[in-house]
Amino acid sequence: MDPVRFANALADAHRQQILRLLWGRELCVGDLVQALGLAQPTVSHHLRILRQAGLLRTRAAGRRMFYTLDLDALDHGLRALRLALRPSRRKGKRRG
């Protein structure tokens, strides 16, 4: 997982709210629009960013698409971000 894309996906308050709403349950766009009080195109935009970051699972049911948070992907992204931020160790140099 790309740590920059992951961090960008988490960097927006509306996307954080969407992730909280999708934690442990499935919702469609209409449910999210109602819960967030945002326009449908805005919610769809945020869902696209979260999907591109790999944070959502989707399930089609007829004409509706249902979303849920992929907790394994969230854990993987957090690990990738932690590794990306870790200072590199230089061989041969010791702190003393």
Side-chain angles (χ1 to χ4, degrees), residues 22-87:
L22 296 176
W23 192 296
R25 63 180 165 174
E26 245 185 7
L27 297 173
C28 68
V29 175
D31 296 331
L32 292 167
V33 165
Q34 186 175 357
L36 297 166
L38 298 173
Q40 184 271 324
T42 302
V43 172
S44 293
H45 168 76
H46 289 302
L47 288 170
R48 184 177 63 249
I49 291 170
L50 292 168
R51 272 194 335 265
Q52 289 171 344
L55 289 167
L56 300 181
R57 291 184 183 168
T58 59
R59 180 182 65 86
R63 293 181 52 149
R64 289 180 151 180
M65 185 68 74
F66 287 86
Y67 299 88
T68 189
L69 173 60
D70 185 337
L71 290 172
D72 291 334
L74 178 63
D75 289 339
H76 181 73
L78 291 169
R79 283 192 305 274
L81 186 58
R82 189 174 59 242
L83 289 173
L85 296 174
R86 182 173 32 181

Side-chain angles (χ1 to χ4, degrees), residues 2-19:
D2 176 13
V4 174
R5 181 173 278 192
F6 175 78
N8 181 56
L10 297 180
D12 182 87
H14 288 126
R15 290 193 287 275
Q16 291 173 26
Q17 220 175 344
I18 289 169
L19 292 176

